[in-house]
Amino acid sequence: MKLARLLRDPYFTNRHRRILHVLRVALALVIAYAITEPFDIPHRGWALVSTVMVMGNLPHIGGVLDKGRQRLLGTLLGALWGLLLIVLPLPWPGLLPLGTLAGIAVATWATFAKRYGYGGLMFAISLLLVIGGGTPELDVALWRSLNVLLGTLIGIGVTMLVLPHKATDLLRFAMADNLDHMARLYHAHTSASAPVDLDTRSLLKACSKLLVKQRGLVDAIHREHRLTRGEQDDLISLQRRMFSTIELLLETHWNTRAGHERIDAMDGLRDQQHTLARAIGTLAFQVRTGRPIEVELIPFDLQRHADLANDAYSSDGRRLLSPSGYLWLNRELARLTGELIERLAGLERLPSRRLRKGARRHGLLAPHDTHETTESPRQGRPG
């Protein structure tokens, strides 16, 4: 029972997703072999090839579903077109290769530079498999198509049923890590002295990679029916803008000592910045543990600092614009954070009961956390 709970633990499957994916691929190949070998199915090697191709390097359900759907559709259409060319009484033998080329050309044109490119590729491969080397046989074409479909279905089934790993969970963990990195960067910037072990360049690079990673999960998560593409685009866009603002703050350099002194003289500014950093960290924690988003963000009040920012002059009498710009960047980061909190709080299918249960087992949440019972019934099936 304990082992069964561990294998369903999203934290466990995420941490060990590489080895678990290897085990799933191996199991799928064993199943495909066990089904095709005893019955001596002709051309059964294509079932094994299709199993590996549909699972590939995609360890999560959404990716395999998206790829498997394209493979199934491309295989069916390619095989049907090939069978049609074989069955129809063509008056001229040259029409067979011409029909094959025409089918591949149309599929390539229709899927060029689109997310259905893999389906177009499978159409071409399936069509060529059915047609063969120029002397097509109907039974060979049928067996080849059957093996491709069988291998695809086995790959999809094993991915969904055996130690499943969801792309939505991967998004939650990537988003939480990204927010946590940004909170650390911003806190270090606003502190009197940054932690000795804080590698700013490394964290900036990690944030960029996590944003790219989230972008690559959009189609897979959409296939899992948790979040729409538009919702994901909004979340990624807000994170990217937050990251850019923090980068600008980290790269802020003062041309004059007077500008720096004006910022230091703004009473309460550092407290506001530290409060914002803690809010971003709290948001990361709630996303990681699957809790409903309930972050209270105190508005970043800049009016209290307006006099020091607007009436700043250098020793030669020129007005200093740097204090105002610096304050605007902080306010912009607070505004973007507030907008992200609002968007996350409005996603009814983002909180996850599975993550909360796993978080309790790993000591991330207290055992008496009450969100399990107070969750709104409108949230539907838990993620």
Side-chain angles (χ1 to χ4, degrees), residues 23-41:
L23 293 176
R24 280 193 295 268
V25 172
L27 177 61
L29 287 172
V30 170
I31 293 174
Y33 183 83
I35 291 176
T36 57
E37 185 66 22
F39 299 100
D40 196 24
I41 296 178

Side-chain angles (χ1 to χ4, degrees), residues 159-359:
T159 301
M160 294 185 65
L161 300 175
V162 180
L163 302 174
H165 183 213
K166 295 187 175 183
T168 310
D169 290 340
L170 204 56
L171 172 72
R172 291 183 178 108
F173 292 127
M175 188 187 306
D177 288 342
N178 191 39
L179 290 170
D180 185 61
H181 292 342
M182 288 193 291
R184 293 179 61 195
L185 286 167
Y186 185 58
H187 185 268
H189 167 72
T190 58
S191 299
S193 58
V196 178
D197 60 344
L198 183 66
D199 187 347
T200 300
R201 183 175 299 179
S202 177
L203 284 179
L204 289 172
K205 186 180 297 185
C207 287
S208 296
K209 290 182 178 179
L210 288 168
L211 287 171
V212 173
K213 185 177 183 180
Q214 292 179 60
R215 174 60 62 187
L217 294 171
V218 170
D219 291 333
I221 294 170
H222 178 73
R223 190 60 53 199
E224 292 179 357
H225 303 293
R226 306 304 301 177
L227 301 174
T228 66
R229 292 190 181 90
E231 290 170 339
Q232 295 177 72
D233 288 340
D234 289 343
L235 297 179
I236 295 171
S237 175
L238 286 170
Q239 291 179 75
R240 180 176 290 109
R241 290 155 65 188
M242 288 173 62
F243 175 63
S244 299
T245 304
I246 291 176
E247 270 193 310
L248 289 173
L249 285 168
L250 291 174
E251 294 298 325
T252 298
H253 300 287
W254 303 101
N255 294 328
T256 64
R257 181 66 182 173
H260 187 268
E261 290 175 349
R262 284 288 179 136
I263 292 296
D264 286 341
M266 293 178 181
D267 185 44
L269 175 61
R270 292 305 183 196
D271 291 337
Q272 287 180 291
Q273 291 174 321
H274 294 162
T275 300
L276 177 56
R278 286 192 295 269
I280 298 174
T282 301
L283 181 61
F285 175 77
Q286 292 183 356
V287 172
R288 179 178 288 111
T289 54
R291 293 165 57 95
I293 304 302
E294 299 175 347
V295 180
E296 294 185 7
L297 187 64
I298 300 175
F300 211 92
D301 182 18
L302 300 185
Q303 189 61 38
R304 58 194 295 189
H305 311 302
D307 292 339
L308 287 173
N310 296 330
D311 298 332
Y313 292 89
S314 63
S315 57
D316 58 1
R318 292 184 302 170
R319 181 184 290 274
L320 298 177
L321 301 178
S322 52
S324 298
Y326 180 77
L327 290 176
W328 182 87
L329 287 173
N330 283 272
R331 187 184 65 176
E332 181 67 7
L333 179 60
R335 187 190 66 80
L336 292 171
T337 303
E339 189 173 345
L340 180 61
I341 291 172
E342 183 178 349
R343 294 291 179 90
L344 289 173
L347 297 176
E348 296 180 349
R349 309 197 74 178
L350 182 69
S352 170
R353 187 176 294 122
R354 292 181 304 103
L355 258 66
R356 291 199 294 276
K357 290 180 178 179

Side-chain angles (χ1 to χ4, degrees), residues 9 11 289 291 352-374:
D9 186 345
Y11 296 92
T289 54
R291 293 165 57 95
S352 170
R353 187 176 294 122
R354 292 181 304 103
L355 258 66
R356 291 199 294 276
K357 290 180 178 179
R360 292 191 190 95
R361 285 193 292 269
H362 291 275
L364 299 176
L365 288 179
H368 58 273
D369 183 87
T370 59
H371 283 292
E372 185 68 34
T373 57
T374 61

